[in-house]
């Protein structure tokens, strides 16, 4: 794992977070949509495997986060505001890059302190190229190192890390799955809906 293991998982509190959104509504992220049947089946199996410990109303579509942008805004007042102009410039920057479609490898189950996930590896190193291009337009909103992953859900209770790891080890598959990425999506979700669905703002097809 890319960080030292915690002692316990961190449950997600079902509450409003005004200290985060300050009344702002829509939060924007660049995503890689996941629609591959085999990958979705593995994701659903992982969710079922950990279901007693996860919030059950998680409705966000399967995706891999590429770049965290911030709150949709006409004008930037706060550091995590993401203006319409920046949105347009990032779309244009990705289109000019003319990135070909590429493949990621989807591995077994692992976890952050707050959320379990399926491992994602990038053997071609494309994600770093895409993220670097986006960063030239607008700084990413991030508090921790970027780790590509496919979120399984969010914890509803605190578990000992050893208990979680024992459960994870009973799931892990040895073989990886190939996910072909042919589209990038600029998406958003309502800050008031912690597990709410993603809405597409823009799409950049890959060659």
């Amino acid at each position: 794992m890319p960080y030292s293991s915690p002692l316990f998982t961190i449950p997600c509190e079902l509450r409003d977070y005004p200290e985060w959104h300050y009344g702002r509504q829509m939060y924007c992220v660049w995503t890689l949509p996941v629609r591959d049947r085999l990958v979705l089946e593995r994701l659903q199996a992982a969710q079922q495997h950990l279901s007693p410990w996860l919030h059950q109303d998680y409705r966000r579509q399967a995706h891999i986060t590429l770049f965290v942008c911030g709150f949709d805004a006409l004008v930037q007042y706060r550091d995590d505001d993401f203006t319409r102009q920046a949105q347009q410039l990032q779309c244009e920057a990705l289109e000019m890059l003319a990135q070909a479609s590429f493949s990621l490898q989807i591995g077994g189950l692992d976890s952050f302190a707050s959320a379990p996930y399926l491992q994602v590896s990038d053997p071609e190193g494309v994600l770093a190229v895409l993220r670097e291009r986006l960063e030239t337009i607008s700084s990413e909103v991030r508090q921790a190192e970027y780790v590509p992953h496919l979120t399984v859900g969010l914890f509803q209770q605190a578990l000992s890390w050893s208990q979680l790891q024992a459960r994870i080890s009973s799931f892990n598959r040895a073989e990886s799955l190939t996910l072909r990425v042919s589209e990038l999506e600029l998406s958003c979700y309502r800050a008031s809906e912690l597990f709410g669905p993603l809405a597409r703002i823009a799409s950049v097809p890959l060659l």
Side-chain angles (χ1 to χ4, degrees):
M1 298 180 65
Y3 55 90
S4 59
S5 300
L7 295 178
F8 296 93
T9 61
I10 301 173
C12 176
E13 298 180 53
L14 298 182
R15 66 174 181 87
D16 193 17
Y17 289 83
E19 69 277 13
W20 169 54
H21 61 67
Y22 291 101
R24 295 168 294 179
Q25 296 299 312
M26 306 304 294
Y27 199 74
C28 303
V29 292
W30 278 100
T31 68
L32 315 177
V34 176
R35 303 185 182 98
D36 181 89
R37 179 180 61 83
L38 293 178
V39 174
L40 291 176
E41 287 177 355
R42 178 169 294 188
L43 177 63
Q44 291 163 2
Q47 290 169 335
Q48 183 175 3
H49 189 70
L50 297 178
S51 61
W53 300 335
L54 303 179
H55 285 287
Q56 297 304 304
D57 50 354
Y58 187 83
R59 297 182 293 118
R60 195 150 297 161
Q61 301 96 310
H63 68 282
I64 297 166
T65 296
L66 175 64
F67 194 89
V68 181
C69 303
F71 285 96
D72 177 56
L74 293 176
V75 179
Q76 184 168 19
Y77 290 108
R78 299 184 180 274
D79 290 343
D80 57 352
D81 283 336
F82 183 49
T83 66
R84 302 288 175 84
Q85 181 183 29
Q87 295 173 33
Q88 181 62 34
L89 290 174
Q90 282 193 338
C91 288
E92 293 173 356
L94 290 177
E95 290 168 351
M96 291 176 63
L97 185 62
Q99 172 64 48
S101 61
F102 62 97
S103 293
L104 299 173
Q105 297 299 310
I106 308 300
L109 188 57
D110 205 336
S111 188
F112 301 119
S114 59
Y117 63 88
L118 293 181
Q119 299 165 334
V120 175
S121 59
D122 176 22
E124 301 175 43
V126 177
L127 297 182
V129 174
L130 296 172
R131 285 173 47 77
E132 182 178 358
R133 179 56 62 94
L134 292 169
E135 186 78 35
T136 63
I137 305 299
S138 179
S139 297
E140 186 177 26
V141 180
R142 177 164 295 281
Q143 288 75 46
E145 178 185 359
Y146 175 71
V147 177
H149 63 279
L150 181 51
T151 300
V152 171
L154 295 172
F155 291 117
Q156 66 171 340
Q157 63 188 88
L159 307 162
S160 72
W161 199 250
S162 59
Q163 181 184 13
L164 175 63
Q165 290 303 309
R167 185 67 172 170
I168 283 176
S169 65
S170 68
F171 173 87
N172 273 337
R173 273 62 165 167
E175 77 283 1
S176 63
L177 301 173
T178 298
L179 174 66
R180 195 68 184 168
V181 180
S182 58
E183 180 184 17
L184 309 176
E185 286 189 350
L186 177 58
S187 306
C188 65
Y189 61 90
R190 291 189 177 278
S192 59
E193 297 182 39
L194 295 181
F195 314 141
L198 294 169
R200 184 169 66 180
I201 298 173
S203 174
V204 177
L206 304 181
L207 304 177

